[in-house]
Amino acid sequence: MRVVLVSAGLSVPSSTRLLGDRLAAAVVRRAAGDGAGGTDVIDRTDVAEGADGAASGSGSGSRNVEVQVVELRELAVEIAHHFTNGFPGPSLAAALRAVTEADALIVVTPVFSASYSGLFKSFFDVMEKDALAGTPVLIGATGGSARHSLVLEHAMRPLFAYLRAVVVPTAVYAASEDWGADGLAERIERAAGELAGQLGGAGARRRTPAVSPAGAAVEDVVPFAERLAALRR
């Protein structure tokens, strides 16, 4: 099983990336059937740097989970170029391929102007329309104030519902005061358990193929101009 972590954090180190790492470690533990265990060390490889990804730990009799990381900060220029020329650069193409082929996603963004960041949205804007259909997704966000926590429900969840992804019920928001405080760890574990549970049937719920099944009749695409001209006759 492959889980891809998409982080839109801009700084190094980044609280957004930290939240994503903690979510990924918790998913690894839950998939391994060790919900109460210590934090697994995940060897992460940035897809933006051209590597294929890195494996995480697993427990006996458990599902093996591999975690890949997509750092959007490294892809900002290629994302902008994609909007102007319509073609992804090599690093962006590798990231898009990793995300669309993942068995599940963990997506985290900082909150800017009461919503997800423009970089975060732009990455999913350049993705094919149905690329995430049926993919389990865990959403998370970070911000300076707990007052921005509703960004998860009024912005992120509708975005992935539109993309026809399967968003787990628990979303995780971490304000500055949440780090080290009670409550965050419990929310992380609950959300991770929900995503790990989705991984059990991810293969059966893979997205609908883009090509028609063998033998199915495929209607020829008629240009809109021709259809409009036919109506005028």
Side-chain angles (χ1 to χ4, degrees):
M1 294 289 183
R2 177 172 292 185
V3 174
V4 173
L5 164 60
V6 179
S7 172
L10 298 179
S11 59
V12 179
S14 163
S15 61
T16 301
R17 175 64 185 269
L18 176 60
L19 176 61
D21 288 346
R22 290 188 61 178
L23 288 167
V27 170
V28 169
R29 288 196 303 274
R30 291 306 187 106
D34 183 19
T39 301
D40 293 54
V41 176
I42 306 174
D43 296 321
R44 303 172 187 85
T45 304
D46 284 341
V47 178
E49 296 176 358
D52 291 332
S56 69
S58 64
S60 60
S62 64
R63 296 185 295 274
N64 290 323
V65 175
E66 184 178 282
V67 176
Q68 274 187 299
V69 178
V70 173
E71 279 280 10
L72 299 187
R73 178 175 56 86
E74 305 293 338
L75 300 171
V77 173
E78 290 193 19
I79 291 172
H81 286 170
H82 189 289
F83 279 109
T84 59
N85 61 29
F87 297 96
S91 295
L92 177 58
L96 291 171
R97 183 167 57 251
V99 170
T100 56
E101 293 177 356
D103 293 297
L105 299 177
I106 299 169
V107 297
V108 287
T109 178
V111 175
F112 291 155
S113 301
S115 188
Y116 36 61
S117 72
L119 178 60
F120 181 85
K121 180 61 160 57
S122 295
F123 177 73
F124 291 100
D125 280 344
V126 301
M127 195 169 290
E128 293 294 330
K129 176 185 174 185
D130 295 325
L132 299 184
T135 302
V137 177
L138 193 169
I139 58 176
T142 59
S145 168
R147 291 190 296 272
H148 292 305
S149 61
L150 286 177
V151 68
L152 295 164
E153 303 303 328
H154 76 69
M156 294 186 72
R157 194 177 296 275
L159 170 63
F160 288 97
Y162 173 78
L163 295 173
R164 298 172 56 207
V166 180
V167 185
V168 300
T170 300
V172 181
Y173 179 83
S176 299
E177 62 266 24
D178 288 328
W179 299 103
D182 293 337
L184 179 59
E186 288 76 7
R187 295 197 301 274
I188 288 173
E189 290 297 330
R190 183 167 65 248
E194 292 167 357
L195 190 67
Q198 293 283 340
L199 282 172
R205 289 192 305 273
R206 293 304 296 165
R207 55 201 64 89
T208 304
V211 296
S212 298
V218 180
E219 182 182 358
D220 291 334
V221 177
V222 179
F224 178 74
E226 291 185 17
R227 290 184 178 271
L228 188 60
L231 292 174
R232 291 174 176 173
R233 291 172 188 165

